[in-house]
Amino acid sequence: MVKKDGKFYAGYCIEIPQARGQGNTKAEAIEDTKKAIKMCKSYLQAKSKTSKAITVTI
């Protein structure tokens, strides 16, 4: 989702609230948000590999 915020555009990912981007144009905000999504996904994947959580199936 991209919204105009004053002079700039701000991009938000509904599924990953931490992934936000901005730009002078709507296209720049979309590209910046895509980069933020990729960074968040790689962080979450790396974190899940080092997690000590145990999955139990019943």
Side-chain angles (χ1 to χ4, degrees):
M1 174 184 341
V2 177
K3 292 183 178 180
K4 183 133 174 119
D5 187 16
K7 294 181 181 181
F8 304 99
Y9 288 88
Y12 306 91
C13 177
I14 296 169
E15 292 83 4
I16 308 172
Q18 299 84 354
R20 297 177 182 212
Q22 66 181 21
N24 292 320
T25 65
K26 192 181 267 190
E28 286 178 4
I30 290 170
E31 285 304 312
D32 199 43
T33 305
K34 285 180 183 181
K35 289 177 187 177
I37 291 168
K38 288 178 184 178
M39 286 182 2
C40 286
K41 284 178 66 176
S42 66
Y43 169 78
L44 292 172
Q45 288 173 347
K47 188 173 180 174
S48 70
K49 290 179 183 178
T50 61
S51 174
K52 295 182 181 182
I54 300 171
T55 303
V56 178
T57 305
I58 300 175

